[in-house]
């Protein structure tokens, strides 16, 4: 384990305030004091260090490092050095990151926020025969892979889960205004919505509105498209935004006079979005959210009541003074599946041996609930309906029910 990562692990454990919790999070095998650790290994972490996706990259880093901190800095009994590489936002920058990490002799790769980057590095990873445990980007088009596994989701799944729910919830005559950013990610999400909704004679009317993928949208960036959509008097809005884009879209939607429910993949309200929308007890935005509702579909919520999540969420809050997001959870699980696979190999693992072992690890006891890899190497998992509600004095994502098991 590098000095930087060792210091980070010690800081996290100090924040947790107990070594007992770290022992309780292990895999049930001998601790470092009871057995000699295996040979040191390197894991490559591909994340953006700047730009609009940096906040997700930070969550991914935090989740992976938290698992290491709770497991004596080891995966499968081997001391770990995490080697970071800049993801960037293009296929070319992603390929450069992979090349850099392969030269470092990493046993496996993880991370990757952007779907463009994930698609761009596909061939390089497959040709190198080094497993990549992707913890965020997951385009539909990424198929027939052998060395790429994903602990997040496939991008059509949150739309499909919500589509099924809306088909059962909305009247058949309802109209839905659909928004998303330009690019494949929003198209994948909306394809999922259609697949889930358009059954039994139901049809989504009107074309989706795709807005530019603004890094930092201004206060009127979405006003024109919103005005156009509201002219059709929709009964509901479905949208695919995250981060700063989500904040501005919701603010401008209300400012243009929309008074109805909002439905979206859970990225809309993850991270700091709700704190930026929460304008206090007398604020108009808070009142509108409470009155008309924002409901989202996601594979995780920090308030899920299971043992794995109680340990994970508590440790994350103590380490970072914030609730964990699905991005941190998926990266924590990426470390967990690598831990299991490397332990199955034992001895001096090779990338090819780890890749074979990943197909044998079975069910994962995860903060999201139990899941397992399916044949396409993505999670078969539950999706949850979450509603923005007051939790104490703050707006929070509260799980209302299970929506579907997909994958």
């Amino acid at each position: 384990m590098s000095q930087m990562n060792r210091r980070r692990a010690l800081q996290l454990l100090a924040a947790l305030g107990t070594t007992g919790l770290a022992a309780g999070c292990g895999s049930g095998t001998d601790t470092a004091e009871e057995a000699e650790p295996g040979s040191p290994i390197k894991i490559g972490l591909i994340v953006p260090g700047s730009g609009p996706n940096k906040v997700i990259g930070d969550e991914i880093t935090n989740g992976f490092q938290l698992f290491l901190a709770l497991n004596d800095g080891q995966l499968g009994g081997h001391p770990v050095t995490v080697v970071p590489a800049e993801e960037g936002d293009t296929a070319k920058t992603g390929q450069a990151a992979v090349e850099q990490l392969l030269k470092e002799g990493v046993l496996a790769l993880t991370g990757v926020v952007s779907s463009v980057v994930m698609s761009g590095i596909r061939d390089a990873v497959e040709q190198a025969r080094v497993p990549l445990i992707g913890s965020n980007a997951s385009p539909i088009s990424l198929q027939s892979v052998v060395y790429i596994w994903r602990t997040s989701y496939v991008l059509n799944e949150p739309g499909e889960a919500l589509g099924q729910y809306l088909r059962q919830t909305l009247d058949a005559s309802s109209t839905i205004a659909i928004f998303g950013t330009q690019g494949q990610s929003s198209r994948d999400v909306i394809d999922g919505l259609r697949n889930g909704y358009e059954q039994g004679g139901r049809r989504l009317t009107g074309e989706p509105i795709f807005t530019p993928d603004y890094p930092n949208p201004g206060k009127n960036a979405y006003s024109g498209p919103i005005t156009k959509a509201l002219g059709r008097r929709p009964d509901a809005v479905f949208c695919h935004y995250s981060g700063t884009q989500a904040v501005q879209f919701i603010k401008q939607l209300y400012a243009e006079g929309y008074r109805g429910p909002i439905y979206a993949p859970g990225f809309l309200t993850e991270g700091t979005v709700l704190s930026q929308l929460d304008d206090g007890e007398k604020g108009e935005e808070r009142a509108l959210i409470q009155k008309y509702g924002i409901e989202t579909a996601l594979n995780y919520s920090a308030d899920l009541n299971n043992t794995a999540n109680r340990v994970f969420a508590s440790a994350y809050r103590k380490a970072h003074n914030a609730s964990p997001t699905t991005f941190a959870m998926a990266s924590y699980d990426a470390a967990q599946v690598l831990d299991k696979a490397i332990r199955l190999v034992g001895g001096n693992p090779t990338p090819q041996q780890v890749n074979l072992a990943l197909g044998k690890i079975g069910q994962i006891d995860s903060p999201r609930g139990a899941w397992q890899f399916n044949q396409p190497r993505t999670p078969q998992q539950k999706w949850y309906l979450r509603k923005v509600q007051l939790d104490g004095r703050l707006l929070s994502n509260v799980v209302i029910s299970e929506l579907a098991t997909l994958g």
Side-chain angles (χ1 to χ4, degrees):
M1 191 177 189
S2 69
Q3 289 299 315
M4 179 183 72
N5 290 329
R6 186 178 298 278
R7 285 198 300 271
R8 183 60 176 151
L10 290 173
Q11 289 168 357
L12 288 169
L13 288 172
L16 298 177
T18 173
T19 56
L21 180 58
C25 276
S27 56
T29 58
D30 292 341
T31 64
E33 290 76 20
E34 296 168 337
E36 288 295 320
S39 56
I41 60 175
K42 295 180 180 179
I43 303 296
L45 178 64
I46 303 172
V47 289
S50 61
N53 284 334
K54 181 182 183 298
V55 63
I56 299 177
D58 291 345
E59 289 277 331
I60 286 173
T61 300
N62 292 345
F64 200 89
Q65 292 284 14
L66 182 60
F67 185 90
L68 292 179
L70 297 178
N71 288 273
D72 198 32
Q74 298 184 15
L75 292 177
H78 295 257
V80 173
T81 296
V82 176
V83 185
E86 172 57 48
E87 174 178 329
D89 55 9
T90 67
K92 187 175 181 179
T93 57
Q95 290 162 4
V98 170
E99 290 175 9
Q100 172 196 331
L101 293 170
L102 292 177
K103 289 177 182 177
E104 290 277 352
V106 297
L107 181 65
L109 304 162
T110 191
V112 188
V113 174
S114 165
S115 291
V116 171
V117 171
M118 178 63 87
S119 297
I121 66 177
R122 177 194 187 279
D123 291 345
V125 172
E126 294 289 297
Q127 291 167 12
R129 301 174 67 210
V130 173
L132 164 61
I133 319 300
S135 50
N136 187 62
S138 195
I140 298 175
S141 58
L142 195 69
Q143 298 178 357
S144 301
V145 290
V146 176
Y147 282 85
I148 298 178
W149 308 72
R150 289 164 276 180
T151 57
S152 50
Y153 42 77
V154 181
L155 272 170
N156 64 326
E157 292 176 348
E160 183 171 352
L162 268 177
Q164 294 177 11
Y165 170 69
L166 294 180
R167 176 165 45 85
Q168 298 166 0
T169 304
L170 298 180
D171 185 86
S173 62
S174 298
T175 58
I176 306 172
I178 302 172
F179 293 86
T181 55
Q182 293 170 351
Q184 194 57 48
S185 294
S186 285
R187 294 184 186 280
D188 286 351
V189 168
I190 293 168
D191 284 346
L193 174 69
R194 290 189 184 281
N195 192 48
Y197 187 83
E198 293 188 337
Q199 299 179 29
R202 290 285 186 103
R203 289 291 180 268
L204 291 171
T205 59
E207 290 298 314
I209 296 174
F210 294 104
T211 57
D213 191 7
Y214 302 109
N216 293 290
K219 293 184 177 181
N220 296 307
Y222 304 110
S223 297
I226 288 172
T227 299
K228 179 181 177 181
L230 295 187
R232 300 197 295 264
R233 298 185 180 276
D235 300 291
V237 165
F238 177 93
C239 58
H240 178 234
Y241 295 102
S242 62
T244 304
Q245 293 181 351
V247 173
Q248 286 300 327
F249 179 80
I250 294 171
K251 283 178 175 287
Q252 292 172 40
L253 189 64
Y254 288 143
E256 294 300 321
Y258 178 68
R259 300 295 182 264
I262 301 171
Y263 302 98
F267 328 119
L268 185 77
T269 54
E270 281 290 272
T272 61
V273 171
L274 290 181
S275 64
Q276 294 179 67
L277 288 172
D278 197 341
D279 48 3
E281 294 180 9
K282 297 182 180 180
E284 182 181 9
E285 285 169 5
R286 174 190 273 205
L288 291 171
I289 290 171
Q290 289 182 266
K291 182 174 181 179
Y292 295 103
I294 298 178
E295 294 185 343
T296 64
L298 202 59
N299 60 347
Y300 175 70
S301 181
D303 69 340
L304 287 175
N305 187 20
N306 62 64
T307 300
N309 189 50
R310 286 194 294 271
V311 172
F312 166 69
S314 175
Y316 194 94
R317 289 184 180 109
K318 289 178 181 178
H320 300 287
N321 195 31
S323 292
T325 64
T326 187
F327 312 119
M329 177 279 298
S331 189
Y332 181 89
D333 274 2
Q336 184 173 193
V337 300
L338 280 171
D339 177 70
K340 289 179 176 293
I342 294 168
R343 196 175 298 280
L344 279 176
V345 174
N348 295 304
T350 67
Q352 295 77 32
Q353 289 173 330
V354 172
N355 196 67
L356 285 172
L358 285 165
K360 302 175 182 178
I361 59 178
Q363 195 170 81
I364 306 300
D365 184 18
S366 166
R368 76 186 83 177
W371 66 272
Q372 61 187 18
F373 283 120
N374 56 19
Q375 190 173 2
R377 289 162 160 68
T378 63
Q380 183 181 53
Q381 61 186 328
K382 291 179 180 178
W383 285 85
Y384 302 94
L385 179 67
R386 312 183 314 170
K387 187 170 185 177
V388 177
Q389 295 181 344
L390 282 179
D391 184 5
R393 294 185 177 182
L394 300 176
L395 292 175
S396 300
N397 294 300
V398 177
V399 172
I400 302 300
S401 64
E402 293 179 12
L403 285 175
T405 296
L406 300 175

